[in-house]
Amino acid sequence: FHRVLRQLKLRLLCGDHDDLTDLCGERGFLGVVDWNHRLVVENYFTKADLSRVFLGHRHPAMKMRWVHCSAVSKVTVLRLAVKYQLHPLPVEDTIQLQQQSVPLVRSYGDNFFIILPMLRLTTPSRNALARFHGQDEGQPELARQTTNQEEALDPDSGAALEVEIEQGRLALFIAGAPKFDTLISIQTVWMVHHGEDAEHTTHPLPMYGARRFCRRRRQFRSSRALVREGSASVRSHAEGAEDPLSPRTPSAELDFEEQEPDPNAFDDDATEAFDGIAEEIQKDTSMVRSGNAAWLMWRIVDVLVDEMEPILSAFRARLMWFGAHIAKRRSKSENDVEKKLLWTRVELEWVQRKVRPMIRVVRHMIHEKVIEANVTQYLEDVEDHLETYLEEISRSIGVCDSLRDQVRSFRDREQQGVLYVLALVTTMTSPMQLLASMYGMNFIDKLNRPVVPGLGLMDEKRGYPLFWGLGVAIVSTIYISFRFVLKWM
């Protein structure tokens, strides 16, 4: 009864009834990868053939299935929930995945539900970081623009590296013991994060991340067009073809037509990180290929952590530029250097807040007894990577504070130098002021001639040379004492 009811719900959600026209379309990406130790079958579906994945079934010989979705609608999430009998609570969290800000892991029966953040650099920041390191990011024109780090760190040659981050969310549904045979991953669209600084909040509305070229997906589409236009499967399973499960085909590989990537061609879903996992599954020696859903879960988490590594490298490059700028210009540094350093610190703390809860998720999976020990060892390695990442972020935050203190120290030292010079000038001119005040006293002798007590008669021939002689002698004595005796100058 439940199986019939589920099929009725799926046909209702995938049907072509006039009242359900809006339910049939899908603007996002949906891919399915089925595999066993001898065969890998990849399917990427379009809006016209979604019913194939929801109303069909995988081959009994396939031990694993990975369903990956990107920027899909609420209806597709409901279709997945009905087909795979997902718990309603994680389904509701997945529908509101963009608003889920805290990573979490939950167990529902024998199955697991995980929400993780996705962080990466935007394309301009990645290209700027590649130029800083003198590397090529796969774009031919970038190789002609590479510069060494000395030029990049020269304060007169340019500005500090701008670090712009894209963020998203990823939900994982993992089938538990005893089979561990299915994993569903659903990711949101990439959104550009803007900090609290005024110059980084010029966009009041959320900005979508840049679309990136995915060579593998583009090749799949080209190959599919050659096989059968409009087909749901990118595999060449045409009628009359040899049985792919035959022992004579130990590993089925896709034949791609080699082509140069079009720099103007992009994928709206931008799932190039997960395309790399799909390529790993194609390899016979891959651990993901020989493992189950727990191994795939580990690889996805590991890829998410690896995607965050360039963010830290970009912040390091930015701080290196500030360090070189401050060391060269000292107190003459730009007035907004402290402001930029403060913004960098705020961004680092934001990344730290996003990454720290991921450790709790990984630790929870490590302590799950149903996950085999080999997987937990690799998860422990991911945990160590995350802890090291957080330590490096804390160290970068400390560098921000030290650079800000260094700027303040240079400026305070300059102010102290100015005050020191003014104090010396005041001290050395005070004898002249004393003599001037003494000369201004109206003392006269018995003959009504002007005199100064202790200096005698002050007439025109004697008083003027005596004033300057005494003044220069006293000032010279003070200078010699400060310079050679006390060594204050």
Side-chain angles (χ1 to χ4, degrees):
F1 173 77
H2 290 289
R3 182 179 300 178
V4 174
L5 182 61
R6 186 167 70 252
Q7 287 294 325
L8 289 175
K9 290 180 180 179
L10 285 174
R11 291 189 179 278
L12 181 65
L13 290 171
C14 301
D16 55 357
H17 193 273
D18 293 339
D19 297 335
L20 302 176
T21 304
D22 295 336
L23 298 180
C24 299
E26 178 54 68
R27 297 182 302 274
F29 163 78
L30 178 63
V32 179
V33 184
D34 296 330
W35 73 87
N36 58 23
H37 67 284
R38 294 187 297 112
L39 180 66
V40 178
V41 177
E42 297 187 53
N43 297 282
Y44 295 124
F45 294 87
T46 62
K47 67 178 66 176
D49 35 48
L50 283 175
S51 60
R52 180 183 179 90
V53 66
F54 294 113
L55 299 178
H57 301 280
R58 68 182 175 192
H59 197 281
M62 296 297 177
K63 71 167 187 175
M64 263 296 300
R65 164 165 285 194
W66 176 26
V67 181
H68 181 63
C69 309
S70 174
V72 293
S73 63
K74 174 182 177 181
V75 180
T76 298
V77 177
L78 294 176
R79 292 164 178 163
L80 292 170
V82 174
K83 178 175 178 59
Y84 295 100
Q85 304 181 52
L86 305 178
H87 196 280
L89 289 179
V91 171
E92 183 179 356
D93 291 337
T94 305
I95 292 174
Q96 301 176 354
L97 187 57
Q98 194 70 50
Q99 287 74 38
Q100 302 293 331
S101 59
V102 180
L104 58 90
V105 55
R106 295 287 186 268
S107 299
Y108 297 95
D110 295 330
N111 304 321
F112 300 98
F113 174 68
I114 300 175
I115 292 180
L116 294 172
M118 300 188 302
L119 301 175
R120 71 179 185 184
L121 288 177
T122 60
T123 301
S125 295
R126 290 178 63 174
N127 294 341
L129 181 62
R131 288 193 294 270
F132 176 81
H133 291 299
Q135 298 173 351
D136 190 351
E137 282 289 304
Q139 302 180 16
E141 67 274 9
L142 193 59
R144 298 190 294 268
Q145 301 173 358
T146 55
T147 57
N148 56 37
Q149 290 193 9
E150 283 121 3
E151 294 176 352
L153 292 176
D154 186 3
D156 299 326
S157 64
L161 191 148
E162 291 295 333
V163 182
E164 199 171 35
I165 303 174
E166 294 175 336
Q167 62 172 330
R169 306 285 188 274
L170 178 69
L172 299 177
F173 294 88
I174 306 168
K179 293 184 177 181
F180 279 103
D181 60 349
T182 304
L183 187 145
I184 303 173
S185 56
I186 302 175
Q187 76 172 81
T188 62
V189 295
W190 291 97
M191 306 292 291
V192 179
H193 165 71
H194 295 283
E196 299 177 358
D197 188 73
E199 66 175 347
H200 294 85
T201 55
T202 55
H203 304 280
L205 298 176
M207 286 186 60
Y208 290 98
R211 299 178 297 170
R212 296 186 182 176
F213 173 75
C214 300
R215 179 181 178 88
R216 181 176 180 82
R217 188 81 41 70
R218 187 66 57 184
Q219 289 173 327
F220 266 122
R221 290 173 181 172
S222 299
S223 177
R224 181 177 60 187
L226 292 175
V227 175
R228 185 176 58 188
E229 185 173 358
S231 172
S233 175
V234 297
R235 299 299 305 247
S236 56
H237 296 335
E239 295 182 2
E242 185 179 4
D243 183 8
L245 298 177
S246 172
R248 287 173 292 180
T249 56
S251 178
E253 299 289 344
L254 288 176
D255 295 330
F256 294 148
E257 183 181 86
E258 288 296 329
Q259 57 181 9
E260 292 297 326
D262 183 5
N264 298 320
F266 295 89
D267 285 327
D268 293 332
D269 48 87
T271 59
E272 70 279 4
F274 298 97
D275 288 345
I277 301 178
E279 292 180 354
E280 290 184 23
I281 296 174
Q282 286 286 339
K283 300 177 181 178
D284 294 335
T285 58
S286 171
M287 290 184 296
V288 180
R289 170 78 171 271
S290 60
N292 53 20
W295 284 97
L296 180 58
M297 178 269 297
W298 155 75
R299 190 67 187 102
I300 291 175
V301 176
D302 189 47
V303 167
L304 292 182
V305 176
D306 291 340
E307 279 284 295
M308 296 186 298
E309 193 64 35
I311 298 177
L312 186 57
S313 299
F315 277 116
R316 285 173 179 167
R318 180 177 176 87
L319 293 176
M320 289 175 63
W321 186 91
F322 280 122
H325 177 84
I326 295 171
K328 182 175 182 178
R329 300 188 179 181
R330 296 179 177 269
S331 60
K332 304 299 182 182
S333 301
E334 299 177 2
N335 295 329
D336 59 343
V337 166
E338 283 192 70
K339 182 179 179 182
K340 291 180 179 179
L341 285 171
L342 179 60
W343 174 85
T344 303
R345 190 184 195 280
V346 171
E347 289 296 290
L348 284 168
E349 290 177 342
W350 178 82
V351 174
Q352 191 178 47
R353 289 196 303 271
K354 290 290 183 182
V355 175
R356 183 179 286 114
M358 294 179 65
I359 297 182
R360 296 198 301 267
V361 174
V362 176
R363 286 176 181 171
H364 185 281
M365 301 306 295
I366 291 174
H367 294 105
E368 282 292 339
K369 297 181 180 180
V370 296
I371 297 179
E372 58 181 291
N374 291 333
V375 180
T376 57
Q377 290 178 356
Y378 283 91
L379 288 174
E380 289 173 356
D381 181 71
V382 174
E383 180 187 10
D384 294 339
H385 193 178
L386 286 172
E387 291 178 349
T388 303
Y389 191 86
L390 290 175
E391 291 176 0
E392 292 298 325
I393 291 180
S394 300
R395 188 174 293 109
S396 298
I397 292 175
V399 172
C400 285
D401 294 335
S402 63
L403 288 176
R404 292 176 62 199
D405 293 340
Q406 191 174 0
V407 173
R408 295 171 182 171
S409 175
F410 281 134
R411 291 177 178 173
D412 291 343
R413 189 177 302 176
E414 184 185 32
Q415 293 177 357
Q416 292 174 2
V418 173
L419 293 176
Y420 178 72
V421 172
L422 292 177
L424 285 178
V425 171
T426 302
T427 302
M428 297 178 68
T429 58
S430 58
M432 306 298 294
Q433 297 176 355
L434 177 62
L435 290 175
S437 62
M438 291 178 62
Y439 269 66
M441 297 179 182
N442 296 322
F443 292 103
I444 59 175
D445 58 5
K446 295 180 180 180
L447 301 177
N448 293 328
R449 292 179 300 179
V451 294
V452 174
L455 297 179
L457 182 64
M458 291 291 118
D459 55 10
E460 182 178 359
K461 294 182 179 180
R462 184 173 178 273
Y464 194 73
L466 184 61
F467 174 83
W468 286 109
L470 287 174
V472 171
I474 296 174
V475 170
S476 299
T477 302
I478 294 174
Y479 176 79
I480 293 173
S481 299
F482 284 1
R483 182 65 183 272
F484 299 102
V485 178
L486 300 176
K487 296 182 179 180
W488 288 353
M489 300 177 62

